Amino acid sequence: MTPQQEAQLIEQCRRNPDAFGQVFDTWYKPVFGYVMRRTADYDLSKDIAAETFLKAFLKINSFKWRGISLSAWLYRIATNELNQYYRSSKYKPQSLQQLLEDPQMEKLLRDSSDNQREIIEEELKAYNDYNLIREKLQLLDVKYQEVIALRYFEQKTNHELSIILDKKEGTVKSLLSRGLEKLRNML
């Protein structure tokens, strides 16, 4: 999606909250996948992804275009939610009740497929190497987990990482280098 298309979509969402469904349809799977690869817990990932989109929905009117794409903003929210989870060791969505009470948000909770959970869990089990790396990755500091997961699982560039994580590009490169070295030593 081009920056102009994103800007138009944001304006549509501001005028008509139902237009947020397009944001959800476009970015839910990538954001959910990012969270799932970080947590390896389907239910927790659904909670964090739902909270991410709820916060985006509630804050879309205050979103200001400052060179940060809508997708980077969503990944930043998801990263903050993941950090909150890892800091507290027990994730407690602050706004989930509000989500459940809002009838316009009902479609955000609907599962597009009844067997999505089984498919994702089977794919994870099929990748033994992935599981080994994920387990070792979870032993690293969160700052290394973020950059490695976004760079290699989500295929984000260093520039995109710097925007998502709100860090300088040099810092991102340094974190990637140190994190990969620590991961190699564990394997």
Side-chain angles (χ1 to χ4, degrees):
M1 188 172 279
T2 68
Q4 185 179 10
Q5 291 170 323
E6 285 188 6
Q8 289 172 346
L9 180 57
I10 292 166
E11 282 307 310
Q12 288 174 353
C13 290
R14 288 178 178 157
R15 288 191 305 267
N16 178 7
D18 291 337
F20 190 79
Q22 186 177 350
V23 172
F24 181 83
D25 292 343
T26 302
W27 285 288
Y28 179 80
K29 284 184 180 181
V31 169
F32 173 79
Y34 165 60
V35 174
M36 181 69 176
R37 284 184 283 279
R38 289 282 310 278
T39 65
D41 182 316
Y42 180 84
D43 293 324
L44 176 62
S45 297
K46 285 197 65 106
D47 287 347
I48 291 174
E51 188 71 9
T52 297
F53 282 90
L54 173 64
K55 286 187 176 176
F57 177 77
L58 295 174
K59 298 290 184 180
I60 195 80
N61 289 330
S62 62
F63 179 83
K64 293 194 177 20
W65 196 268
R66 293 184 209 142
I68 297 174
S69 69
L70 188 55
S71 66
W73 183 58
L74 292 169
Y75 276 102
R76 183 179 288 179
I77 295 169
T79 298
N80 289 340
E81 290 299 304
L82 283 162
N83 288 340
Q84 180 181 339
Y85 165 73
Y86 284 116
R87 275 193 304 272
S88 68
S89 298
K90 187 174 180 185
Y91 187 69
K92 298 175 189 167
Q94 298 173 355
S95 328
L96 194 54
Q97 186 59 37
Q98 185 179 0
L99 177 68
L100 295 172
E101 293 171 359
D102 188 345
Q104 290 183 348
M105 296 297 291
E106 184 179 333
K107 69 180 176 180
L108 294 179
L109 293 175
R110 274 190 240 131
D111 210 349
S112 61
S113 167
D114 289 337
N115 63 358
Q116 181 182 17
R117 178 182 186 143
E118 291 79 20
I119 291 169
I120 290 174
E121 288 175 349
E122 286 175 18
E123 286 176 0
L124 280 176
K125 289 177 186 173
Y127 297 108
N128 291 332
D129 289 342
Y130 165 79
N131 285 328
L132 174 64
I133 291 171
R134 183 193 50 76
E135 287 172 13
K136 298 299 182 188
L137 185 61
Q138 288 183 332
L139 298 175
L140 295 175
D141 288 342
V142 171
K143 62 185 176 183
Y144 299 124
Q145 290 180 36
E146 290 173 344
V147 293
I148 292 172
L150 286 167
R151 178 70 177 101
Y152 294 101
F153 298 152
E154 304 305 314
Q155 308 299 313
K156 300 296 180 191
T157 65
N158 288 345
H159 178 70
E160 290 171 317
L161 289 173
S162 70
I163 292 170
I164 292 168
L165 299 174
D166 198 23
K167 295 183 187 308
K168 294 181 181 177
E169 213 167 320
T171 303
V172 167
K173 289 177 185 177
S174 177
L175 287 170
L176 266 173
S177 177
R178 286 188 205 131
L180 290 173
E181 183 63 30
K182 289 177 181 285
L183 191 58
R184 273 188 220 105
N185 290 337
M186 290 178 175
L187 296 173

